[in-house]
Amino acid sequence: MTLITLFLYMVSELSALQQIINAMTGLNGLPAVIVECAVTTIYTALGGFKVSFFTDNIQGTMVVLLIIIAVITIGSTTHIDRSLIPESHYLDASLLGWQLLYILPVAVLTNDFFLSNFWQRTFASRSDRDLWIGTSLASVAVLLILLLVGVTGLLAGWSGAITFDSEDGYLAFFLLLGQLPAWVVGIVLVLVVSLSTAAFDSLQNAMISTGSNDLFRNKLNLWVIRAAVVVIIVPVVVVALKSPDILQIYLISDLVSASTIPVLIIGLWDRAYIWQGFEVVVGGLGGILTVFIFGTIYYGNADQGAKLILLEGGLYADDWGAFGAFVAAPVGGMLWALGALGLRLAVLWLKARITGARFDALDKPLKRAE
């Protein structure tokens, strides 16, 4: 699941870069994608996590510079047509707005569990105190950045940069910047490419290290790992070029994690010692199946139920489909996991009865000697 999540994030990163370049310049973004992949692949294969950790500092600097330039230039050059404010209905309450109060926390919280690049930095912290300080500062910074970037969606609509029914709302920030003077667009593109490169190498590094550790227990030769960095880029680029909707990519990843993480974290509780991998696997798959069942019942046909798993309607469909999917995934996953637990215990009990052995499935595990 971690590898799938990282793969989808890599795809979305490249797809986003391509669409940003196209939105701001009208040019094909494929050359920039290829150059970015080549550069990050070379230095990630040679430098590994240390290089990725270094580029994080560059990434933070680029984000700050991008926000400063955006705030100054947008604030000084963008004209707001006040007559469009009531017409847009952006400030009115909406069904989607209330739904997102549930969807976003569930999607972001569960999905972050699968991002190995976060865990790498967690375990690289010198102490718990440093981790708390770093996480707190980063949380405040991210909140402010998302607030500023999110407001540009309102400004883009009120300035005419996008239409109110546009499906390119996720590009509002860059479409708004694309109307600024050419020198601003040039600087923004440099910062965006640098930012994308720094983010992409972290995902590359996390994916390769996760595969090496979890699948091969770090027994692979260093050159094999470096070769894997190169090989994995090919399918990522191919899928990215065929994935026009970035939001849908993230939503698929979020839905998968929403079905799996709730049943997974139960195993972290000391008192849930009877919880095993079988329940986690069945619960994760069952959560996805529950989304299909919900969609079939809600829309009245199996085809729409299957499409709901891929969230082809996105978040902007004026119904309860996406909300129901993010409720069905964790709740259904938990119910399937409990059913799997009952089934496993029943089978073990019957086996003990038939063989005359002691039924020990509910026994507490022995504590490991210090």
Side-chain angles (χ1 to χ4, degrees), residues 140-364:
V140 173
V142 169
L143 175 62
L144 295 176
I145 291 170
L146 290 180
L147 179 62
L148 292 172
V149 173
V151 168
T152 59
L154 304 177
L155 299 179
W158 294 339
S159 65
I162 60 174
T163 58
F164 299 145
D165 58 349
S166 174
E167 296 182 356
D168 295 328
Y170 59 91
L171 290 173
F173 177 64
F174 298 101
L175 290 172
L176 190 61
L177 291 176
Q179 295 186 331
L180 300 179
W183 67 271
V184 177
V185 174
I187 294 175
V188 169
L189 283 176
V190 171
L191 295 176
V192 167
V193 173
S194 301
L195 178 60
S196 177
T197 301
F200 190 73
D201 70 52
S202 296
L203 296 171
Q204 272 184 299
N205 190 278
M207 189 169 192
I208 296 302
S209 61
T210 299
S212 174
N213 180 71
D214 295 355
L215 299 180
F216 300 100
R217 302 302 179 189
N218 291 324
K219 294 181 180 179
L220 291 178
N221 183 275
L222 179 60
W223 286 102
V224 175
I225 296 175
R226 287 174 172 171
V229 175
V230 179
V231 172
I232 198 63
I233 284 299
V234 178
V236 171
V237 173
V238 172
V239 175
L241 296 178
K242 297 181 179 294
S243 303
D245 193 341
I246 304 169
L247 180 60
Q248 185 182 357
I249 299 173
Y250 282 117
L251 288 175
I252 294 172
S253 174
D254 292 339
L255 194 59
V256 171
S257 58
S259 68
T260 306
I261 288 301
V263 294
L264 178 65
I265 59 177
I266 291 180
L268 301 178
W269 188 27
D270 290 338
R271 294 185 179 182
Y273 52 85
I274 61 173
W275 204 258
Q276 296 190 6
F278 177 69
E279 287 80 60
V280 175
V281 173
V282 172
L285 296 176
I288 299 299
L289 178 60
T290 305
V291 173
F292 167 74
I293 295 173
F294 163 77
T296 301
I297 297 173
Y298 182 74
Y299 291 112
N301 64 80
D303 181 61
Q304 290 296 322
K307 289 182 178 179
L308 185 60
I309 297 177
L310 300 177
L311 290 165
E312 292 192 359
L315 289 176
Y316 300 107
D318 190 21
D319 60 22
W320 290 89
F323 180 84
F326 277 96
V327 172
V331 173
M334 191 64 67
L335 293 176
W336 280 93
L338 291 172
L341 174 62
L343 176 62
R344 182 174 62 82
L345 293 178
V347 170
L348 292 175
W349 181 81
L350 287 174
K351 182 180 178 181
R353 293 279 293 181
I354 293 172
T355 61
R358 179 176 174 275
F359 176 66
D360 58 358
L362 299 179
D363 292 351
K364 290 185 178 181

Side-chain angles (χ1 to χ4, degrees), residues 17-217:
L17 177 63
Q18 182 184 10
Q19 293 183 51
I20 289 170
I21 292 176
N22 181 261
M24 295 189 70
T25 66
L27 301 175
N28 185 359
L30 179 59
V33 169
I34 294 176
V35 171
E36 175 178 314
C37 290
V39 172
T40 58
T41 299
I42 291 172
Y43 73 68
T44 298
L46 296 177
F49 177 70
K50 290 183 178 180
V51 175
S52 176
F53 202 74
F54 172 74
T55 59
D56 284 349
N57 297 321
I58 299 177
Q59 181 181 8
T61 303
M62 293 299 179
V63 169
V64 173
L65 290 176
L66 179 61
I67 294 300
I68 292 174
I69 292 174
V71 169
I72 294 174
T73 54
I74 292 175
S76 60
T77 61
T78 300
H79 172 69
I80 301 299
D81 185 349
R82 294 183 180 275
S83 65
L84 295 178
I85 295 178
E87 183 182 343
S88 68
H89 300 292
Y90 285 165
L91 302 181
D92 298 342
S94 65
L95 175 63
L96 176 61
W98 289 109
Q99 291 176 345
L100 289 178
L101 291 178
Y102 167 79
I103 293 176
L104 286 181
V106 171
V108 174
L109 179 62
T110 58
N111 197 248
D112 283 354
F113 274 81
F114 281 129
L115 295 180
S116 296
N117 45 323
F118 284 176
W119 290 111
Q120 285 180 326
R121 284 145 185 80
T122 298
F123 291 112
S125 301
R126 288 181 297 182
S127 65
D128 288 348
R129 179 176 178 273
D130 291 335
L131 179 60
W132 275 105
I133 294 174
T135 303
S136 301
L137 293 175
S139 298
V140 173
V142 169
L143 175 62
L144 295 176
I145 291 170
L146 290 180
L147 179 62
L148 292 172
V149 173
V151 168
T152 59
L154 304 177
L155 299 179
W158 294 339
S159 65
I162 60 174
T163 58
F164 299 145
D165 58 349
S166 174
E167 296 182 356
D168 295 328
Y170 59 91
L171 290 173
F173 177 64
F174 298 101
L175 290 172
L176 190 61
L177 291 176
Q179 295 186 331
L180 300 179
W183 67 271
V184 177
V185 174
I187 294 175
V188 169
L189 283 176
V190 171
L191 295 176
V192 167
V193 173
S194 301
L195 178 60
S196 177
T197 301
F200 190 73
D201 70 52
S202 296
L203 296 171
Q204 272 184 299
N205 190 278
M207 189 169 192
I208 296 302
S209 61
T210 299
S212 174
N213 180 71
D214 295 355
L215 299 180
F216 300 100
R217 302 302 179 189

